[in-house]
Amino acid sequence: MESNSNQSSVSFVKIPTIKFTKLFINGEFVDAVSGKTFETIDPRTGEMIARVAEGDKEDVDLAVKAARQAFDHGPWPRLPGSARARIMMKFADLIEENVEELAVLDTIDAGKLFSMGKAIDIPMAAKNLRYYAGAADKIHGEVLKMSREFHAYTLREPIGVAGLIIPWNFPSAMLMCKVSPALAAGCTMVVKPAEQTPLSALYFAHLAKLAGIPDGVLNVINGYGPKAGAAITSHMDIDAVIPNSVSFTGSTEVGRKVMQAAATSNLKVVSLELGGKSPLIIFDDADVDMAAQLAIFGILFNKGEVCVSSSRVYVQEGLYEELVKKLVEKAKAWVVGDPFDPKVQQGPQIDKKQFDKILSYIEHGKREGATLLTGGKPLDGKGYYIEPTIFSEIKEEMLIAKEEIFGPVLGLAKFKTVEEAIKRANSTRYGLAAGIVTKDINVANTVSRSIRAGSIWINCYAALDFDCPFSGYKMSGFGSSLGLEALDIYLKVKSVVTPLFNTPWL
């Protein structure tokens, strides 16, 4: 491992001037009402990139007013779905034309690998728009067969103004994961990007304007969760709130606060993703090389800042020693450093707070008796870089086995039977995802139906796709992202009934 954090990135990529730092309300970039700004920090160095406008309740009020006006009286929800789709397609084209600059913004703001941003994150944002653009003219209700002399049908109407709170781990991909179905449904929205990563969201707002999305439809308020985020969740004129609480600290507790704010305001609809502690179960008959690759990818992709990270790996005893050896070799060979360097596999953690939190969990693991096999330390120099870390002999009562670390920290445990693997996999308050590695279809079927999680990946991991719904069980939340099911949160079903007179049939 090497730290390139002190090396200038100029040799790899030219960093463009930051163009957008204000709030985006009703189609215009404006200062916060208070005039306040806050620093957005480059995790490669810990130094300031720029100061951005700090939105507060007053700014949220202005954004909601613009979104409400655009919904109640503007063209967007009244356009044919095909017309909304054409504008969304233009938006996607503009994203692809600006892929490099958007990828740079996510790299300097979030520490994400530039190569992955160009190849995956930003293209995924454009593809997400195109997927839901394809659904925009296919949102319709049903004709109902009534038991009495009535004709009835349903309409699926846009719910109104949506409040979208975006996490910092995938600033562009997650933004468009929420914005795209909202646009397709005909909603207007107020978006709060994570305070750690506001830059790309503001650039997307600029592109939305260029694409022809009407003023007031998409508004962006930079700011902190307890102020701007709380103002969104409690606002009386927002109809649905879709937060991803990675953007806060303490997923489950924040989820409760969001639901409480929704209940005590106007009973707005809520969809929550509240994190996970996902198990990867590897059976004796697994291909050891494939299993090792899935396990290392599952925990180190995006430096472990992934809600479905395979942070608990359970290995059947016959394969355990060989797999552990391969995992340690892979972790030691993993290249950590400047995310603009194409040779680097892992950049810095998002910020100092997350950096310190991960290191504190590592210390907990040591104190609680887990065996540290490799890593466990920060890298020398500037920035928030942490070595890939593997613990063995984890037990379910240990903090590192119970809580979402959201970093490059893997816990290993050995199991004997299928029943034991299922029990241990389910011994968590979360239920977001799980992985199974086996050649036995019967084992795969039994385990996949026994684990209480929203996504189960068999002989693959983190196999997310636009057409595949993604949601959680238990304290991982509720409501779907991705798939056509993601439209449901943005739509309300209305029944229309009229009497039938002298009809020859019902």
Side-chain angles (χ1 to χ4, degrees):
M1 289 176 291
E2 58 176 303
S3 173
N4 297 320
S5 56
N6 291 322
Q7 180 180 339
S8 170
S9 295
V10 173
S11 58
F12 300 115
V13 174
K14 182 179 179 181
I15 308 297
T17 302
I18 304 303
K19 297 182 176 72
F20 308 108
T21 59
K22 297 184 178 185
L23 312 179
F24 187 76
I25 300 176
N26 204 25
E28 301 292 337
F29 285 101
V30 296
D31 292 320
V33 171
S34 67
K36 289 182 180 178
T37 60
F38 65 97
E39 295 181 348
T40 186
I41 301 297
D42 187 339
R44 300 173 304 150
T45 62
E47 297 169 0
M48 184 182 75
I49 304 166
R51 297 194 69 89
V52 299
E54 181 184 338
D56 209 332
K57 183 180 182 303
E58 292 79 5
D59 304 288
V60 170
D61 287 342
L62 291 173
V64 173
K65 182 178 179 182
R68 176 55 61 190
Q69 177 71 17
F71 184 79
D72 289 347
H73 305 290
W76 189 251
R78 293 160 186 83
L79 287 175
S82 57
R84 287 200 299 272
R86 283 195 295 273
I87 296 172
M88 292 172 69
M89 291 289 193
K90 175 62 174 174
F91 191 2
D93 291 342
L94 289 170
I95 290 170
E96 289 183 337
E97 290 171 17
N98 292 273
V99 62
E100 181 146 335
E101 190 160 356
L102 286 162
V104 167
L105 294 178
D106 280 355
T107 298
I108 62 174
D109 227 7
K112 296 177 67 67
L113 296 182
F114 177 66
S115 59
M116 295 292 282
K118 282 185 66 177
I120 297 177
D121 287 47
I122 309 306
M124 184 184 295
K127 289 174 183 176
N128 215 323
L129 268 169
R130 291 198 177 100
Y131 176 84
Y132 288 104
D137 61 354
K138 300 169 187 67
I139 297 170
H140 51 74
E142 299 177 300
V143 175
L144 306 175
K145 183 71 172 177
M146 302 288 276
S147 62
R148 296 184 292 153
E149 293 183 344
F150 292 98
H151 171 67
Y153 60 92
T154 60
L155 299 170
R156 297 180 76 201
E157 298 182 340
I159 195 168
V161 178
L164 311 180
I165 300 176
I166 310 302
W168 43 255
N169 57 334
F170 290 93
S172 293
M174 288 301 296
L175 175 74
M176 299 318 298
C177 182
K178 307 300 183 185
V179 166
S180 300
L183 289 173
C187 291
T188 62
M189 65 212 71
V190 177
V191 176
K192 193 200 86 66
E195 55 265 31
Q196 296 89 341
T197 54
L199 297 179
S200 57
L202 295 170
Y203 202 104
F204 279 112
H206 162 67
L207 296 180
K209 172 93 171 179
L210 294 181
I213 291 178
D215 293 348
V217 171
L218 174 63
N219 305 274
V220 179
I221 302 295
N222 320 311
Y224 294 99
K227 292 184 178 181
I232 288 171
T233 59
S234 62
H235 204 286
M236 292 295 292
D237 220 13
I238 286 180
D239 301 293
V241 61
I242 299 89
N244 183 309
S245 65
V246 167
S247 56
F248 303 97
T249 301
S251 292
T252 305
E253 287 307 311
V254 170
R256 288 193 178 104
K257 289 178 180 178
V258 168
M259 291 187 71
Q260 186 178 39
T264 56
S265 54
N266 60 342
L267 289 174
K268 58 177 62 66
V269 175
V270 176
S271 176
L272 296 172
E273 187 206 304
L274 301 178
K277 193 68 181 172
S278 300
L280 175 62
I281 306 169
I282 300 171
F283 289 90
D284 280 344
D285 65 343
D287 180 295
V288 67
D289 291 317
M290 180 182 76
Q293 185 58 36
L294 289 176
I296 207 74
F297 166 80
I299 190 61
L300 296 184
F301 175 65
N302 202 50
K303 45 205 166 104
E305 293 174 349
V306 184
C307 56
V308 297
S309 283
S310 56
S311 54
R312 296 183 295 144
V313 175
Y314 296 103
V315 187
Q316 201 161 18
E317 55 188 3
L319 197 65
Y320 184 81
E321 297 301 332
E322 185 181 1
L323 185 79
V324 168
K325 181 180 178 183
K326 287 183 178 291
L327 284 176
V328 171
E329 289 173 355
K330 286 179 178 292
K332 287 182 176 179
W334 203 256
V335 182
V336 183
D338 186 339
F340 282 105
D341 186 341
K343 299 191 299 294
V344 163
Q345 295 168 287
Q346 178 184 319
Q349 308 307 136
I350 184 67
D351 62 11
K352 181 68 161 58
K353 186 175 183 179
Q354 184 66 14
F355 174 80
D356 290 340
K357 176 185 170 186
I358 295 166
L359 293 175
S360 73
Y361 275 117
I362 291 171
E363 292 306 310
H364 273 293
K366 294 176 185 176
R367 287 197 300 270
E368 290 182 325
T371 301
L372 180 63
L373 299 179
T374 186
K377 300 188 299 295
L379 270 62
D380 294 333
K382 291 182 179 181
Y384 308 127
Y385 298 86
I386 295 176
E387 294 176 342
T389 300
I390 299 178
F391 283 100
S392 66
E393 301 174 62
I394 63 164
K395 295 179 173 60
E396 278 65 40
E397 63 270 17
M398 292 179 177
L399 206 63
I400 59 169
K402 290 193 299 184
E403 297 192 3
E404 186 176 38
I405 298 172
F406 227 64
V409 181
L410 173 64
L412 286 163
K414 188 188 302 184
F415 71 90
K416 291 184 178 181
T417 66
V418 171
E419 293 75 19
E420 180 191 353
I422 292 168
K423 182 179 179 181
R424 297 186 76 174
N426 281 329
S427 62
T428 173
R429 65 181 181 269
Y430 295 112
L432 196 57
I436 303 164
V437 189
T438 180
K439 295 174 183 174
D440 189 326
I441 188 63
N442 295 318
V443 169
N445 284 336
T446 297
V447 177
S448 62
R449 284 160 170 76
S450 300
I451 293 178
R452 300 280 294 167
S455 294
I456 309 291
W457 296 301
I458 300 171
N459 295 329
C460 58
Y461 201 80
L464 300 167
D465 190 79
F466 303 115
D467 206 37
C468 189
F470 178 75
S471 62
Y473 281 38
K474 301 188 281 189
M475 289 191 179
S476 286
F478 49 83
S480 287
S481 299
L482 303 175
L484 294 178
E485 286 84 351
L487 289 164
D488 293 345
I489 189 70
Y490 303 103
L491 296 165
K492 292 290 287 184
V493 176
K494 176 186 286 183
S495 297
V496 181
V497 182
T498 184
L500 293 172
F501 299 103
N502 303 318
T503 179
W505 53 75
L506 293 180

